[in-house]
Every structure is written in C-alpha cells, then in structure tokens.
Amino acid sequence: RSNNRPPTLCCVREDEIPAGACVMRSTGICKYKFTNGVFEKCKYRLCCDGSTQVQGETYDKTFACTVQPSTLRMCIGLANEYDMCCHSGDYCQAFLQGDPDFTMYMQFPEEIINNKHFHNENITSNSVRCDGLLYGAKQAPRRFAEAQTANLEKVGFVQSQVDPCLYHFWEESKGAWIMVLVYVDDVVVIADNTAQVDWVYEQIRTEFEVDDMGPIDFYLGMKFTRDWERGTFRVDQSSFIEKIINSHP
C-alpha cells in the first residue's frame, strides 16, 4: 500500500477469530505485464478468494463503473481541438488502496504456508485479519473508486452526472480547464499544459501511488498517435489485430 496507509494484513491466532466468522481462502496469481506489446515484468499477487465471501458479513455493494468509450472519444477530440496535453497514468496496486467496509479474515494459500521461509518468530498463524483490501475481494473495485472520487473532489474536481468516471476542474481566474478520465486503475489527464498535468498527479499522490506514463500512446488496448502539425489524433487497435493474426498462423 502507499506509504501513508497502514499495512494491509495483520497476523492473528486462531482463538482471536470470532466464532462463526467467515475466513476466506486465498490464492497467488503470477501475471506477466506487457506495455505496447513488449514484455515489462512478472508480478506475483496475493489475492483473496472472493467466492468464499459472504454478503452482509464480508462485503455489501460491489458495483464500480468504468469510463464509457464515447466519453473517452469525446475528450480526446476536445484535447485535439484545443491543443491540450493528454497524459496517461497508472495507479499502483489500486485495489489495495481502498478501506474495507467489514472485518475480514483470510488464510494464506498452501504455496505460501508450505514455503520454508514463511514461518518465523513474527508469523505464528496461517490466518490474518485484513485491515485493508486485497485483489479478489468483491468490494475492492467499488471501495477504490469511492476513495478515488473523494480524493479528486477534495481538490475541486466535479464528478460528471453523465459519466461518473469523468471528472472536470475549472478555475476561471487562472483559465484552467482539466479533465480526468478513469478506467479502474488507468487514468487519463487532459489539461492546457504539462504544469497543470503535473499538478493533478501531485494531488493524487497525496493519497495514492500513481505513475505518470507521459503523453498518451497506449490505453485500454488502443494505440494513440498524435500529429501536432496536422492537428490529428489517430486511435487504432493495431496491436490487438497483430496479436490475433500472430495467434492464428
């Protein structure tokens, strides 16, 4: 989790877990990450098994919206029309940043329990209390989205009533017009200049860890190519098409 948030997991003894409490299973997932079709890194992620959660005991509401494709196209068109900067970004470990709405307990997966480096004087049980959320928790996307909205609204952004994943900021005295679009943990920041883009990321970093990936070139599987001289912003899915072709030689 980010530096200003407490640890996500706290080891507990079996007798510290309330009788009848739901103890979730967990699993480890190995994921390969590619950027622009090029291998970047391999990540191991500890996830709770959401299928073992009980509604009303470990979660309540789960729905979290994502930005609509039409909203993204409209904002990209506005950025092109008014020569605005358009940067993409990525929230780091997004679902760990929300706070749980219920007390949750979980057991480590067997591959961790059976690891010889797992047990030491600080770890006396195979069970933990989740003081934060993990990937796999049913409410994790919604809780992160709520925390994300609160963070942006705190600095003056207004959530769109048409598309709740679009936030806009307008300060008439400075002539600042900024738009932020969110798709889970992927973000697009559109502003008049790079100084305003940097300001947005500074505000987000007061609560979350986020990486500024620079001018948008690849987002949600789509490739963006901007020609400033011609005043065009081309969007295509060439990488996706190439992937399909290569998978069917």
Side-chain angles (χ1 to χ4, degrees), residues 100-120:
D101 44 356
F102 289 87
T103 301
M104 300 190 299
Y105 297 92
M106 182 185 75
Q107 287 186 332
F108 285 116
E110 291 186 4
E111 64 263 26
I112 292 182
I113 295 174
N114 296 332
N115 191 303
K116 64 179 181 180
H117 300 293
F118 173 73
H119 295 282
N120 56 51

Side-chain angles (χ1 to χ4, degrees), residues 8-222:
T8 299
L9 304 176
C10 179
C11 289
V12 294
R13 300 190 307 271
E14 299 297 331
D15 58 0
E16 293 179 315
I17 301 176
C22 174
V23 180
M24 303 178 294
R25 295 193 299 268
S26 63
T27 185
I29 297 177
C30 187
K31 182 179 180 181
Y32 298 95
K33 185 171 183 179
F34 295 82
T35 300
N36 296 336
V38 179
F39 173 77
E40 182 180 341
K41 58 184 175 181
C42 176
K43 299 188 296 184
Y44 178 87
R45 178 170 287 157
L46 176 64
C47 304
C48 67
D49 185 350
S51 66
T52 59
Q53 288 186 260
V54 178
Q55 188 170 18
E57 293 185 20
T58 58
Y59 77 96
D60 185 14
K61 297 179 180 179
T62 61
F63 175 76
C65 58
T66 55
V67 68
Q68 300 175 26
S70 57
T71 302
L72 177 61
R73 291 195 298 268
M74 177 195 71
C75 292
I76 290 296
L78 290 172
N80 186 64
E81 178 69 20
Y82 295 103
D83 295 329
M84 302 174 75
C85 296
C86 190
H87 283 220
S88 62
D90 179 44
Y91 282 89
C92 303
Q93 300 178 337
F95 290 171
L96 303 186
Q97 308 305 326
D99 295 315
D101 44 356
F102 289 87
T103 301
M104 300 190 299
Y105 297 92
M106 182 185 75
Q107 287 186 332
F108 285 116
E110 291 186 4
E111 64 263 26
I112 292 182
I113 295 174
N114 296 332
N115 191 303
K116 64 179 181 180
H117 300 293
F118 173 73
H119 295 282
N120 56 51
E121 64 277 7
N122 297 318
I123 302 178
T124 58
S125 171
N126 296 337
S127 300
V128 293
R129 184 183 69 244
C130 300
D131 292 335
L133 290 174
L134 291 173
Y135 281 82
K138 290 180 179 294
Q139 72 271 44
R142 183 183 181 90
R143 299 295 290 176
F144 169 67
E146 291 173 344
Q148 185 183 63
T149 297
N151 171 241
L152 292 171
E153 289 182 339
K154 183 176 65 175
V155 297
F157 279 88
V158 178
Q159 188 176 29
S160 170
Q161 295 183 1
V162 177
D163 188 336
C165 290
L166 168 63
Y167 304 84
H168 58 91
F169 177 92
W170 168 251
E171 188 170 332
E172 187 173 1
S173 61
K174 297 181 181 179
W177 180 32
I178 305 173
M179 294 177 287
V180 173
L181 300 95
V182 178
Y183 190 101
V184 191
D185 58 351
D186 294 312
V187 60
V188 172
V189 179
I190 300 174
D192 290 325
N193 51 62
T194 55
Q196 292 178 359
V197 172
D198 293 339
W199 175 82
V200 173
Y201 282 114
E202 288 175 5
Q203 304 311 308
I204 294 176
R205 291 189 182 108
T206 61
E207 294 288 339
F208 307 104
E209 292 184 17
V210 62
D211 292 329
D212 179 2
M213 311 301 289
I216 187 170
D217 61 351
F218 200 79
Y219 185 73
L220 303 181
M222 296 177 288

